[in-house]
Amino acid sequence: MQQLHLTSDEKQALAAWLTSPELAGKAMPFAQLEGYLFALICAPAPLEMDVWVKQVIGEDISALSEDQLFALMALHNEMSEQVFETGFVLPSYLKTLAGQCIEDQTQGDGQLWCLGFALGAIDYVSDILKSGQLDQQLNESFTLAFNCLSVLAQPEQIASNAKQLSMPDDVYLTNMISLMPDFALGFAELVEMAALQSGLFDQEGWE
């Protein structure tokens, strides 16, 4: 069976369409889409395609052409393979954040990715944490993973979080960014463990 993958040119075309006048002010930019899909792929329960596609483009799925829908599904498929088979690797714009000043770190594609991730993960992360069923170690690891991968989603929280840890803002942010690759690589497994321990989800979704 042919695998659904996008070429670099097709990804550029998808990114251009998402910011085109046709979808101006409604669709997620490509970097936000990548973060959002990553969160959905790691989720303990799948979200129906028409629901997440509408969230991405800000319109009903019926407004899409076959090529546009294929592009979104292909990107979802490609990222799913990375998460569950080959190992998920953060986009290059996130891997290069560590060498930037704090002003640049909290703007641009890195922030968009974190915004997308937070949007896609916040509901199931909140439900799992509110269950009160996680042991202390897993609760702390799961919370840290979410906070790390969404660290740029709310730049205004960086200073207060850094203060709680008695760190300068730039040191705190650099430390969190340095942890992102490892947390991204293992986030799906961490979600599975937390979801099962919470009692809100059963093993069926991972069998």
Side-chain angles (χ1 to χ4, degrees):
M1 182 176 69
Q2 183 180 7
Q3 296 298 315
L4 300 178
H5 289 151
L6 296 179
T7 65
S8 296
D9 288 344
E10 288 171 333
K11 288 180 181 179
Q12 291 177 9
L14 176 57
W17 171 64
L18 291 170
T19 56
S20 66
E22 176 186 355
L23 295 176
K26 294 185 291 186
M28 296 181 185
F30 188 76
Q32 186 175 0
L33 168 63
E34 288 188 300
Y36 180 66
L37 289 183
F38 174 70
L40 295 190
I41 290 164
C42 295
L47 194 63
E48 293 293 332
M49 181 192 67
D50 58 340
V51 175
W52 69 257
V53 170
K54 183 177 181 180
Q55 182 74 50
V56 168
I57 65 170
E59 291 185 349
D60 189 86
I61 192 171
S62 63
L64 294 182
S65 70
E66 289 186 5
D67 289 344
Q68 292 162 346
L69 182 58
F70 174 86
L72 291 171
M73 295 302 299
L75 182 62
H76 186 285
N77 179 77
E78 180 179 342
M79 293 179 64
S80 295
E81 288 185 6
Q82 292 176 17
V83 169
F84 296 114
E85 297 178 23
T86 61
F88 183 77
V89 178
L90 290 171
S92 59
Y93 53 78
L94 280 169
K95 292 187 289 184
T96 59
L97 281 175
Q100 300 177 12
C101 65
I102 192 169
E103 290 80 11
D104 291 336
Q105 288 172 329
T106 54
Q107 301 177 34
D109 286 344
Q111 185 189 28
L112 288 172
W113 191 95
C114 289
L115 283 168
F117 170 79
L119 177 64
I122 187 62
D123 286 343
Y124 66 80
V125 168
S126 296
D127 288 344
I128 290 171
L129 292 175
K130 288 177 181 177
S131 72
Q133 299 302 308
L134 304 192
D135 62 50
Q136 182 177 353
Q137 182 177 0
L138 182 55
N139 187 295
E140 291 176 354
S141 297
F142 190 49
T143 300
L144 178 59
F146 174 75
N147 289 341
C148 179
L149 293 171
S150 61
V151 66
L152 300 175
Q154 294 183 298
E156 66 277 5
Q157 293 295 317
I158 292 173
S160 61
N161 291 342
K163 185 177 181 180
Q164 289 178 12
L165 297 173
S166 300
M167 289 183 182
D169 296 359
D170 58 341
V171 173
Y172 167 78
L173 189 53
T174 296
N175 288 347
M176 293 293 274
I177 288 172
S178 71
L179 293 172
M180 289 182 77
D182 288 339
F183 275 129
L185 182 62
F187 190 67
E189 183 178 359
L190 192 59
V191 169
E192 178 181 349
M193 289 189 295
L196 292 175
Q197 194 173 111
S198 74
L200 300 175
F201 304 91
D202 58 33
Q203 188 68 44
E204 182 178 352
W206 292 282
E207 290 181 347

